[in-house]
């Protein structure tokens, strides 16, 4: 079996409850969305066809227990759920970062899914596949990237009406880097007693915001 891979690298996890932990990233090629603030457009252009064997060998070389499958949009490729299952069989802890527009139904329940719900300023507001809510478990995580007050209002309404059964610890609000101040978002969340977590993109705080492979 094969997949189109943009890059595989080893760094620190930057935007979930796993933030700060050493992690291997398998970035798959291709994306079906065009978010206004996208910071990984290269994932749509760079691609190397790799067999599962090649991917597993490269992954093993980093000697790390945590792997994140990301993109682009990793669920655009039919073989991605199979790769996730194989990584779990190899005893990795596996995270999947997805933009929320593709069904997560066939993803192994042992994988922790980090699912985006796109807000208005992304220009992809209607991309979230609503039925995905039925396939999320309490260990999965949901992320809203906030670029404006309109986005914040969208997220608060969505959390109130559709995510009330999820733990606040697993719902992330993340400010668009360089577009909205984290202090502004923090103030709104405190004022509203919002049941969610403020998440900063740690890798953009540590390294240059445009640096790749981190
Ligand atoms: S879903 Fe992710 S990779 Fe695709 S355009 Fe949006 S931010 Fe970029």
């Amino acid at each position: 079996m094969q997949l189109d891979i943009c890059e595989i690298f080893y760094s620190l996890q930057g935007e979930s409850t796993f933030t700060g932990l050493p992690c291997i990233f398998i970035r798959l090629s291709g994306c079906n969305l065009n978010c206004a603030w996208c910071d990984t457009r290269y994932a749509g252009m760079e691609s190397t066809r790799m067999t599962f064997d090649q991917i597993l060998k490269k992954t093993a070389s980093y000697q790390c227990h945590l792997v994140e499958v990301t993109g682009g949009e990793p669920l655009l490729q039919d073989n991605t759920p199979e790769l996730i299952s194989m990584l779990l069989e190899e005893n990795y802890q596996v995270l999947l970062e997805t933009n929320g527009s593709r069904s997560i139904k066939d993803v192994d329940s042992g994988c922790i899914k980090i699912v985006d719900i796109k807000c208005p300023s992304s220009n992809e507001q209607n991309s979230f596949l609503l039925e995905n809510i039925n396939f999320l478990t309490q260990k999965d995580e949901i992320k809203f990237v906030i670029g404006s007050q309109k986005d914040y209002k969208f997220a608060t309404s969505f959390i109130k009406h559709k995510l009330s059964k999820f733990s606040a610890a697993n719902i992330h609000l993340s400010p668009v880097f360089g577009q909205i101040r984290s202090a502004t978002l923090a103030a709104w969340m405190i004022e509203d007693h919002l049941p969610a977590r403020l998440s900063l993109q740690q890798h953009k705080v540590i390294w240059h915001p445009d640096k790749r492979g981190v």
Side-chain angles (χ1 to χ4, degrees):
M1 270 204 228
Q2 298 182 323
L3 282 165
D4 295 322
I5 302 291
C6 171
E7 58 184 354
I8 301 176
F9 62 95
Y10 173 63
S11 184
L12 303 181
Q13 220 284 341
E15 40 189 335
S16 71
T17 61
F18 291 80
T19 293
L21 291 176
C23 182
I24 303 158
F25 294 84
I26 303 176
R27 188 184 304 288
L28 274 73
S29 303
C31 189
N32 55 331
L33 302 186
N34 185 21
C35 302
W37 33 253
C38 178
D39 56 4
T40 45
R41 289 200 194 281
Y42 58 88
M45 295 173 269
E46 300 175 14
S47 175
T48 305
R49 194 101 176 126
M50 290 178 77
T51 63
F52 275 22
D53 229 32
Q54 289 170 319
I55 296 168
L56 287 179
K57 269 197 191 117
K58 177 89 174 163
T59 304
S61 73
Y62 294 115
Q63 300 177 32
C64 175
H65 172 67
L66 181 65
V67 180
E68 177 170 307
V69 177
T70 185
E73 173 43 50
L75 293 178
L76 281 185
Q77 298 188 54
D78 292 341
N79 289 340
T80 299
E82 190 67 32
L83 175 71
I84 289 169
S85 298
M86 194 167 290
L87 289 165
L88 288 165
E89 275 166 31
E90 296 284 325
N91 290 322
Y92 288 101
Q93 182 164 28
V94 184
L95 314 176
L96 168 71
E97 176 130 12
T98 169
N99 66 25
S101 69
R102 308 287 292 193
S103 178
I104 57 173
K105 183 163 158 276
D106 295 330
V107 177
D108 196 305
S109 59
C111 168
I112 294 173
K113 300 176 284 295
I114 303 165
V115 180
D116 272 9
I117 297 176
K118 299 294 183 187
C119 296
S121 77
S122 70
N123 293 336
E124 294 288 3
Q125 180 183 345
N126 298 317
S127 61
F128 181 66
L129 190 63
L130 211 49
E131 68 173 44
N132 273 341
I133 288 179
N134 304 323
F135 305 118
L136 289 169
T137 70
Q138 289 300 328
K139 65 182 172 47
D140 293 327
E141 307 190 12
I142 298 145
K143 187 176 71 181
F144 296 88
V145 178
I146 306 294
S148 65
Q149 191 161 28
K150 190 174 173 189
D151 286 355
Y152 176 73
K153 295 282 178 207
F154 170 86
T156 53
S157 170
F158 201 104
I159 291 166
K160 184 174 169 199
H161 294 108
K162 303 215 164 58
L163 301 177
S164 54
K165 67 177 176 152
F166 287 94
S167 160
N170 287 359
I171 301 175
H172 302 263
L173 265 65
S174 176
V176 177
F177 195 89
Q179 191 165 315
I180 185 168
R181 290 177 61 239
S182 45
T184 303
L185 179 54
W188 292 337
M189 292 174 71
I190 292 166
E191 190 180 332
D192 291 345
H193 298 269
L194 192 72
R197 179 195 289 268
L198 175 67
S199 278
L200 307 181
Q201 292 179 294
Q202 181 181 263
H203 51 291
K204 294 194 178 178
V205 176
I206 299 174
W207 294 287
H208 188 280
D210 297 329
K211 187 169 168 56
R212 275 183 60 171
V214 294

